[in-house]
Amino acid sequence: MLEDFLAAKLDGLRRSGQYREFVDINRRAGAYPLATRRAPDGRSQQVTVWCSNDYLGMSQHPAVLEAMHRAVDEYGAGSGGSRNIGGTHAHYARLESSLAEWHGKEAALVFPTGYGSNDATLQCLLRVLPDPVIVSDELNHASIINGIRSTKAERHVFRHNDVGHLEELLARQPLDRPKIVVFESVYSMDGDVAPIEEIAKVAQQYNALTYLDEVHAIGMYGPRGAGMAAQLNVDHQIDVIQGTMAKAIGVIGGYIAASATLVDAVRSFASGFIFTTSLPPAVVAACHASIEHLKSSETERGALRRKTAHLRGALAEAGIEVMPCSTTHVLPVLVGDAELCRRSAVRLLDEHGVYLQPINSPTVPVGTERFRVNVTPNHDDEDIAHLVRSLSEVFRYFGVSGRTAEPAGRAA
């Protein structure tokens, strides 16, 4: 009975075009964004990756690779367990100190993933604080939603980037009741930016703690790449900054940066931190090397800005519109139908060697299915021209307009 039930659920995903399939994409060291695809028929195909979160290509940077190799030689492969049982190591201390300094906070705490840092931290705060209430942007990431829903805390959702609605919800609460406002800086599916300063001001007015997810801004915006809040010079008004080292930093891992007391409380009470195996020393060393490079180098950020502008212009010239919500490096292109999006992705890969994953429901609302295009400093002008030609051919083939009114997406 259970097998039949699960099979029916999976069939429903296939019928709706929402079923996800892995694509065998083998990135080539030193040649990113090129990769080798092992097709279902067994043939090998060279493809260009256009949907990676390795925004700055730092996974390929010599300093990052050297640090990782050196740490493997020094420590071996694994960490040996959680930091409480297996112990910590010098690379952790250096990384967390670097992260705290980057964000102008007293302390930082590293988790194995960005999902885990959101999930564990929010669960912890909502369980430790007395009678808390949390107010969350409606387009927040699944890790934030899961962290909130895993507790019995009172929760409210404010309309996306709607500061007025946020204030209405906060005004209903007693001033002395613990409150947390959680939101993102750059939303990953629409590429838009939160009104960070306005949200911080309202939160302060109503005595609420601010929790800002910067995962799609870390490394790319702000002085030394410290994020969008730093770019807007309001990072000091944010209580908790959460980030990832799996995107622009190019490795893996998540973290929070905040006051020493808050970080110590999460370290001491968050089950998602206490009971999980820590990152291997080689990964931590690679993260530290990448961050230290990005603190001092504008090369990668400058190249990303130039390539993003170039791609925006090339798409516009071809009559393919980036969704108007986007003001950042995230370039969503509307398809508007799950099955069409899936078939377009297959044709892009099979016929043109372009790897773009379809973004379908529930990641985004039904009717706003899209491609989420990410150019990097490693894409050259011919890569951009080839992508535009390929999208144009595929959109003509399937009758996709490539134009859109303003829809709202959902990050995941």
Side-chain angles (χ1 to χ4, degrees), residues 14-43:
R14 292 186 182 95
R15 286 193 301 272
S16 67
Q18 297 172 341
Y19 184 75
R20 291 174 167 90
E21 297 183 70
F22 290 143
V23 181
D24 191 343
I25 298 291
N26 301 296
R27 287 156 53 109
R28 289 161 46 186
Y32 178 73
L34 296 182
T36 301
R37 174 205 182 199
R38 182 66 59 186
D41 62 5
R43 67 190 173 94

Side-chain angles (χ1 to χ4, degrees), residues 69-90:
H69 282 295
R70 191 166 58 246
V72 166
D73 292 339
E74 184 178 357
Y75 291 91
S79 69
S82 70
R83 287 172 74 182
N84 288 307
I85 293 177
T88 191
H89 51 78

Side-chain angles (χ1 to χ4, degrees), residues 185-186 193-194 196 214 217-218 221-222 226-234 328:
S185 58
V186 175
V193 178
I196 301 172
E214 285 258 45
I218 294 299
Y221 300 96
M228 191 61 73
Q231 177 165 301
L232 300 172
N233 195 30
V234 295
T328 62

Side-chain angles (χ1 to χ4, degrees), residues 62-124:
V64 176
L65 300 182
E66 180 185 354
M68 181 172 273
H69 282 295
R70 191 166 58 246
V72 166
D73 292 339
E74 184 178 357
Y75 291 91
S79 69
S82 70
R83 287 172 74 182
N84 288 307
I85 293 177
T88 191
H89 51 78
H91 287 299
Y92 257 116
R94 287 194 283 266
L95 175 59
E96 288 174 342
S97 176
S98 177
L99 288 166
E101 186 275 335
W102 206 18
H103 294 296
K105 303 299 182 187
E106 292 178 344
L109 187 67
V110 169
F111 294 75
T113 67
Y115 189 107
S117 57
N118 269 334
D119 185 48
T121 300
L122 289 168
Q123 283 193 48
C124 174

Side-chain angles (χ1 to χ4, degrees), residues 110-317:
V110 169
F111 294 75
T113 67
Y115 189 107
S117 57
N118 269 334
D119 185 48
T121 300
L122 289 168
Q123 283 193 48
C124 174
L125 294 175
L126 292 174
R127 287 172 177 163
V128 169
L129 293 172
D131 189 30
V133 60
I134 188 160
V135 188
S136 175
D137 188 287
E138 68 175 330
L139 297 189
N140 275 339
H141 189 266
S143 58
I144 294 173
I145 296 169
N146 193 69
I148 295 170
R149 287 180 176 173
S150 297
T151 74
K152 296 179 180 179
E154 180 181 337
R155 53 187 180 265
H156 299 278
V157 176
F158 66 96
R159 291 186 293 271
H160 181 52
N161 286 345
D162 189 332
V163 180
H165 189 213
L166 170 64
E167 183 168 10
E168 287 177 24
L169 295 172
L170 291 175
R172 298 173 188 170
Q173 302 298 326
L175 194 63
D176 61 350
R177 185 181 185 186
K179 295 177 284 294
I180 302 174
V181 175
V182 57
F183 62 111
E184 301 181 35
S185 58
V186 175
Y187 285 84
S188 64
M189 291 299 127
D190 287 354
D192 59 335
V193 178
I196 301 172
E197 184 174 13
E198 292 86 345
I199 289 175
K201 284 181 179 178
V202 167
Q204 289 171 358
Q205 180 182 349
Y206 292 94
N207 198 29
L209 180 146
T210 44
Y211 184 107
L212 178 62
D213 178 320
E214 285 258 45
V215 298
H216 292 278
I218 294 299
M220 293 169 289
Y221 300 96
R224 304 188 303 157
M228 191 61 73
Q231 177 165 301
L232 300 172
N233 195 30
V234 295
D235 49 334
H236 59 286
Q237 298 178 26
I238 303 298
D239 296 297
V240 183
I241 290 178
Q242 183 269 347
T244 184
M245 294 170 288
K247 295 180 171 59
I249 294 169
V251 195
I252 193 170
Y255 66 87
I256 60 167
S259 72
T261 300
L262 189 147
V263 167
D264 197 22
V266 173
R267 184 189 69 83
S268 300
F269 294 109
S271 60
F273 174 81
I274 295 169
F275 297 106
T276 191
T277 300
S278 63
L279 290 172
V283 170
V284 178
C287 290
H288 183 235
S290 181
I291 290 166
E292 289 302 304
H293 174 82
L294 290 174
K295 283 182 178 180
S296 60
S297 173
E298 287 294 328
T299 301
E300 292 80 13
R301 287 187 283 278
L304 180 65
R305 288 192 295 270
R306 291 191 297 274
K307 296 293 176 66
T308 299
H310 181 181
L311 178 54
R312 278 184 180 274
L315 288 169
E317 188 173 343

Side-chain angles (χ1 to χ4, degrees), residues 367-389:
T368 72
E369 293 83 0
R370 69 196 67 175
F371 290 122
R372 176 180 173 271
V373 184
N374 295 324
V375 70
T376 74
N378 305 72
H379 291 89
D380 61 27
D381 290 352
E382 177 50 36
D383 291 330
I384 292 174
H386 177 66
L387 171 69
V388 174
R389 288 194 301 268

